[in-house]
Amino acid sequence: MGLISVAQKINSDFWRGKRILLTGHTGFKGSWLSLWLQSMGATLRGIALDPPTNPALFDVARVAEGMEHRIVDIRDFTLVKMQMDEFQPEIVIHMAAQPLVRYSYQEPIETFATNVMGTVHVLEAARLISSVKAVINVTTDKCYENHEWVWGYRENEPMGGHDPYSSSKGCSELVTSAYRRSFFEQAGIALASVRAGNVIGGGDWSEDRLIPDVLRAFTVKMPVLIRSPSAIRPWQHVLEPLSGYLMLAQALYQEGEKYSSGWNFGPNDMDTRPVRWIVEHMTNKWDDHATWIQDKDDQPHEANYLKLDISKAKNHLGWKPIWNLELALEKIVDWHKAWLSGADMRSFCEQQIAAYQSDTKISQA
Ligand SMILES: NC(=O)c1ccc[n+]([C@@H]2O[C@H](COP(=O)([O-])OP(=O)(O)OC[C@H]3O[C@@H](n4cnc5c(N)ncnc54)[C@H](O)[C@@H]3O)[C@@H](O)[C@H]2O)c1
């Protein structure tokens, strides 16, 4: 792998007019990424199911206004292939997934069908379209076989997963590796997978996720029920891994194969924090008598200690975390309060993206 060359920052000129197919654009991360790509002038088509929550960032921030929005189930290969044929993308970013650990225990078939065969369908369709130059598959930090150890996982460590969600993402990684070696390398299409930590930000209303649970409880002035206060996770604002995906996509497109591998995009070590730390910070930032209590009911197994080693992205891509956890929590509280007060959330998101981008430039100066 060579040293950093093209991918030192997000380059709006690169994205202007580029044809991007994004799966999962109606979800939390997909909505933020769609707004970001729109702000840089990309020609964007999204394929996904209806927004997974109500309310949803996709509706609240009027994400569909700046893109081609298609409802497509990625479990149906014919439909995915039709979209790819019709749109002729240059870059494909695959984010659509069943992303919840606890739900995956209730619906393992749906989880594996979406996360494993859905990935096969997207990669298969991409390899058959000559316009495609670069593909990113979004998996997760949970794709690694978790040893509950104190060190961060590196990109070359084995895939695994105890629960169906984590396992399905480990499988999605194996699918990516097989497609890269069997087809994409020969076809000259750059293919990478990206593994982010626990992503937080304004506009997430998912079930069973810490920040949405906390905000729901605060809004109705109830104590928050916390399942595992001492569980340690790599927390990061949603714009952090998205900036990594954008930089990586630029590098894949411009320099191809040497970036075609797995990439961790996690926070700095100090932001791998216990759940309790987050909840206490949120309670202080919210005021208004916010409190929390521990949920003592039996819970299905979830990873307790999970950290990512981000040396590769720092050294070979020039990417680094910009907003620390403290600032990320402030941005979330600001976002949620703006939403509660009836602000225009599309422009609020655009302002947060612009602020992030200018902080990136300052930190690179
Ligand atoms: N949120 C996190 O903390 C986090 C952390 C690491 C990785 N990820 C990964 O990032 C990606 C996006 O996560 P998110 O938090 O935005 O999830 P989300 O639930 O908000 O969005 C999921 C998206 O996938 C789409 N989708 C689900 N099933 C589909 C199907 N059968 N066909 C087409 N589209 C389908 C939904 O419509 C939605 O657009 C996922 O791949 C997830 O595993 C998320």
Side-chain angles (χ1 to χ4, degrees):
M1 163 106 33
L3 291 173
I4 305 162
S5 44
V6 289
Q8 294 183 43
K9 59 180 166 45
I10 297 158
N11 177 1
S12 300
D13 292 339
F14 169 87
W15 291 98
R16 193 165 306 118
K18 280 270 170 346
R19 301 182 68 77
I20 317 298
L21 187 102
L22 172 64
T23 75
H25 67 293
T26 61
F28 166 59
K29 283 169 80 171
S31 293
W32 276 104
L33 185 59
S34 296
L35 291 173
W36 200 338
L37 287 167
Q38 290 173 24
S39 75
M40 295 189 291
T43 304
L44 180 63
R45 178 177 291 196
I47 64 170
L49 299 180
D50 282 325
T53 58
N54 183 15
L57 180 58
F58 184 74
D59 300 318
V60 166
R62 307 190 314 280
V63 175
E65 276 180 15
M67 65 187 299
E68 298 177 24
H69 159 53
R70 302 282 186 274
I71 296 295
V72 171
D73 191 331
I74 58 164
R75 288 167 294 183
D76 185 329
F77 173 66
T78 313
L79 296 181
V80 176
K81 174 78 172 30
M82 266 170 52
Q83 291 296 323
M84 210 68 85
D85 276 334
E86 196 182 283
F87 184 64
Q88 298 281 315
E90 294 163 272
I91 297 175
V92 176
I93 303 177
H94 173 45
M95 276 196 179
Q98 189 307 94
L100 303 173
V101 172
R102 280 154 62 93
Y103 182 82
S104 79
Y105 280 104
Q106 293 157 31
E107 299 294 345
I109 297 178
E110 177 188 332
T111 302
F112 282 108
T114 306
N115 297 359
V116 185
M117 286 314 293
T119 301
V120 173
H121 295 158
V122 171
L123 297 185
E124 178 65 12
R127 89 177 173 97
L128 299 172
I129 305 295
S130 59
S131 59
V132 175
K133 287 192 69 177
V135 180
I136 291 183
N137 180 26
V138 177
T139 67
T140 172
D141 54 357
K142 298 189 181 70
C143 66
Y144 294 109
E145 181 61 33
N146 190 329
H147 303 287
E148 298 283 341
W149 61 30
V150 294
W151 306 284
Y153 293 87
R154 291 185 183 157
E155 285 85 348
N156 55 2
E157 272 167 291
M159 298 293 118
H162 176 125
D163 59 273
Y165 168 69
S166 305
S167 164
S168 73
K169 287 289 188 170
C171 295
S172 174
E173 286 279 352
L174 299 181
V175 166
T176 307
S177 168
Y179 260 79
R180 182 186 303 118
R181 288 183 288 171
S182 306
F183 307 116
F184 282 51
E185 276 171 7
Q186 290 93 314
I189 303 171
L191 170 61
S193 61
V194 287
R195 304 145 188 181
N198 269 42
V199 175
I200 58 177
D204 191 2
W205 280 278
S206 304
E207 293 296 322
D208 284 332
R209 277 188 187 158
L210 180 62
I211 300 290
D213 286 350
V214 166
L215 289 171
R216 270 188 285 269
F218 286 0
T219 310
V220 293
K221 299 188 193 310
M222 295 285 288
V224 194
L225 265 184
I226 298 298
R227 294 197 295 274
S228 317
S230 49
I232 293 183
R233 300 266 199 284
W235 306 98
Q236 52 188 168
H237 191 275
V238 61
L239 297 179
E240 296 275 323
L242 296 185
S243 71
Y245 305 170
L246 292 171
M247 286 170 68
L248 178 60
Q250 288 173 200
L252 288 166
Y253 187 92
Q254 292 175 327
E255 301 218 3
E257 266 175 40
K258 69 183 187 183
Y259 291 90
S260 294
S261 54
W263 296 83
N264 288 343
F265 292 106
N268 283 320
D269 252 21
M270 61 194 280
D271 284 335
T272 299
R273 298 271 193 183
V275 166
R276 174 184 286 108
W277 189 96
I278 304 268
V279 178
E280 280 165 2
H281 269 71
M282 287 292 282
T283 4
N284 291 337
K285 284 186 199 307
W286 192 263
D287 289 338
D288 212 12
H289 310 297
T291 55
W292 68 278
I293 48 173
Q294 185 168 357
D295 183 349
K296 301 266 197 242
D297 288 352
D298 280 349
Q299 307 292 338
H301 175 277
E302 284 188 71
N304 232 338
Y305 201 105
L306 190 47
K307 245 166 101 165
L308 286 171
D309 184 320
I310 54 172
S311 314
K312 184 179 168 186
K314 281 182 172 172
N315 287 306
H316 289 314
L317 202 55
W319 175 86
K320 63 181 174 195
I322 302 292
W323 283 356
N324 66 18
L325 188 49
E326 191 107 39
L327 183 56
L329 296 178
E330 254 167 50
K331 298 282 180 188
I332 294 172
V333 170
D334 291 350
W335 194 101
H336 205 75
K337 288 190 168 171
W339 173 65
L340 288 173
S341 71
D344 177 337
M345 296 317 290
R346 185 178 169 95
S347 75
F348 199 88
C349 288
E350 286 165 354
Q351 283 161 29
Q352 288 201 332
I353 290 169
Y356 183 86
Q357 248 179 314
S358 75
D359 288 351
T360 310
K361 284 187 188 126
I362 292 165
S363 97
Q364 276 163 341

